[in-house]
Amino acid sequence: MKAIQFNFSKSRYIFSKVAGRITTKAYWDPRFSCLQYTDHHQKKLPNEDWVRVKVKYSGICGSDLNLIFLKDSPATSPYVSFPFTIGHEIVGTVTEIGGNVKGVQKGQRVAVDPILSCEVRGIEEPCRPCQEQNYSLCERKTEGTISPGLLTGACRDTSGGWSPCIVAHKSQIFTLPDEVDDLNGVLVEPFSCAIHSVMRSQPKKGDTVLVIGGGVLGLCTVAAIRALDLPCKIVSMVKYGFQGELATYYGADEVVYLSGSGYDNALAQVIDATVLSPLFGPNVIEGGADIVFECVGRKQSINDALRFTRNGGRIVLLGLAGIMDGIDWTTVWLNELEIKGTFAYSTEAYQGKQIRTFALAIQLIKEGKVNLSPMITHRFQLEKYQEALKAVASKGKKDAVKVVFEP
């Protein structure tokens, strides 16, 4: 059996960086790149607190693309262990259970929370964030009984979803009810990212919320706001028509399309802002959205978030972007903006109780508050990984939203 792994090599890295300016194929050419389609060696359960999961679907995430296109910041490199099998959006079936695992049975369908926190690592005295159930902020991602790794899919000891099977700690396992099918199950992870971001920066009644980005994370943010019944106006800014249709489907009140520099007036109109002309450079925006969820992680999208947030407003940066130049931070001081970064998921306060973000995501899907499956536009076998990556890299031509592997 085969898996898709990333194994850093200085020479391969340099080749891909240079050749990638000519053709994107350089980033996944098995002869020269760090990406390898290789034999899969099934991992042993690290101890009796772990289970094995046969992968049904595993998604291709924006952070996976940052990795493959070599855009990740070197600041994240201490938190991986090579070679690792990629893939952290995972739905599958339990096939092996450690002796200390209760409440899980063979054959159960599960979603996997990929955070490798203190409990997963067998650390007896958890760090402060883990004690506070903020598992995504774990301070010991390089310690414990397994190798360094932010997530399943970045650790050599766990394997990842772009393979036939993985091993996971019992605390990572969330069983799926019959109401949550596998196509929804594989999207529990990005939906949880969006829920976590929204729960930590909840819009108030009457707020105007701008969601920048029509990819899975942007669409999940729109869906999360509506599924959580937060009474606000949602404006979605997207690039392609099929993204706009999905944004409307998930509850956006207004959709504005990117069109060179010609979207400023259209967006300002729907968020009650005024466009001002500087001596030179991009338009200045007076007024704007109360909260902006930035779900792209590019220079243009972050500059737009800074421009289109009202004085005293909040910007939420979702995901895990790399290094960017050319960001104009002037409005942070001038307009006293608040900037909040969010990574992954942990535990949320919901209806007076504490609940794991994954459990809340599954609950909302089970209750019929959202159906995420329309986002899945393409499915590929692992051996077709180059075609899958081409589809994601040219999403406008392929009408691609979420692309998943079927190992």
Side-chain angles (χ1 to χ4, degrees), residues 187-203 209 211 216-232 234 246-247 249-252 293 295 318 350 357 360-361 364-365 369-372 375:
L187 289 169
V188 166
E189 194 276 344
F191 189 44
S192 295
C193 287
I195 290 172
H196 179 64
S197 299
V198 172
M199 294 293 285
R200 299 299 171 98
S201 299
Q202 290 193 39
V209 173
V211 179
V216 172
L217 202 50
L219 294 171
C220 279
T221 300
V222 174
I225 294 170
R226 289 300 179 228
L228 292 166
D229 296 322
L230 299 174
C232 61
I234 302 176
L246 281 170
Y249 170 79
Y250 285 113
F293 291 94
C295 305
L318 283 72
Y350 180 68
T357 320
L360 177 55
L364 293 173
I365 298 169
K369 294 290 188 71
V370 64
N371 175 19
L372 304 173
M375 292 189 206

Side-chain angles (χ1 to χ4, degrees), residues 324-400:
M324 283 167 281
D325 295 322
I327 307 296
D328 185 349
W329 299 100
T330 303
T331 53
V332 176
W333 292 277
L334 182 66
N335 297 337
E336 298 189 8
L337 301 181
E338 181 180 358
I339 298 178
K340 171 73 172 175
T342 61
F343 169 69
Y345 20 75
S346 53
T347 306
E348 317 300 339
Y350 180 68
Q351 296 182 347
K353 298 179 181 179
Q354 292 294 113
I355 183 172
R356 290 283 294 273
T357 320
F358 258 61
L360 177 55
I362 293 168
Q363 177 181 324
L364 293 173
I365 298 169
K366 177 183 177 181
E367 292 174 350
K369 294 290 188 71
V370 64
N371 175 19
L372 304 173
S373 62
M375 292 189 206
I376 297 180
T377 54
H378 296 70
R379 288 182 265 180
F380 291 91
Q381 297 294 313
L382 282 177
E383 61 266 26
K384 302 290 186 180
Y385 72 99
Q386 295 189 35
E387 292 181 29
L389 294 174
K390 288 176 187 176
V392 179
S394 56
K395 62 175 63 177
K397 296 179 181 179
K398 302 290 186 180
D399 285 5

Side-chain angles (χ1 to χ4, degrees), residues 257-279:
Y257 291 93
L258 288 167
S259 55
S261 60
Y263 56 86
D264 285 4
N265 287 302
L267 181 55
Q269 183 176 356
V270 297
I271 62 173
D272 194 25
T274 302
V275 179
L276 306 176
S277 298
L279 291 175

Side-chain angles (χ1 to χ4, degrees), residues 164-311:
C165 65
I166 65 163
V167 293
H169 189 268
K170 60 185 180 182
S171 65
Q172 297 179 273
I173 297 297
F174 289 81
T175 58
L176 296 178
D178 292 340
E179 295 89 344
V180 181
D181 63 19
D182 290 333
L183 293 179
N184 274 278
V186 75
L187 289 169
V188 166
E189 194 276 344
F191 189 44
S192 295
C193 287
I195 290 172
H196 179 64
S197 299
V198 172
M199 294 293 285
R200 299 299 171 98
S201 299
Q202 290 193 39
K204 301 186 297 293
K205 184 177 181 179
D207 276 355
T208 295
V209 173
L210 172 62
V211 179
I212 298 178
V216 172
L217 202 50
L219 294 171
C220 279
T221 300
V222 174
I225 294 170
R226 289 300 179 228
L228 292 166
D229 296 322
L230 299 174
C232 61
K233 177 181 178 180
I234 302 176
V235 179
S236 182
M237 186 159 71
V238 304
K239 192 172 184 179
Y240 304 111
F242 64 91
Q243 295 175 332
E245 292 174 5
L246 281 170
T248 300
Y249 170 79
Y250 285 113
D253 298 290
E254 302 278 356
V255 175
V256 175
Y257 291 93
L258 288 167
S259 55
S261 60
Y263 56 86
D264 285 4
N265 287 302
L267 181 55
Q269 183 176 356
V270 297
I271 62 173
D272 194 25
T274 302
V275 179
L276 306 176
S277 298
L279 291 175
F280 52 85
N283 289 326
V284 174
I285 309 300
E286 182 69 33
D290 298 282
I291 303 176
V292 175
F293 291 94
E294 195 285 313
C295 305
V296 180
R298 297 288 184 266
K299 180 176 74 172
Q300 179 182 348
S301 59
I302 292 178
N303 276 322
D304 281 342
L306 292 166
R307 291 193 304 139
F308 286 98
T309 306
R310 67 163 176 82
N311 293 16

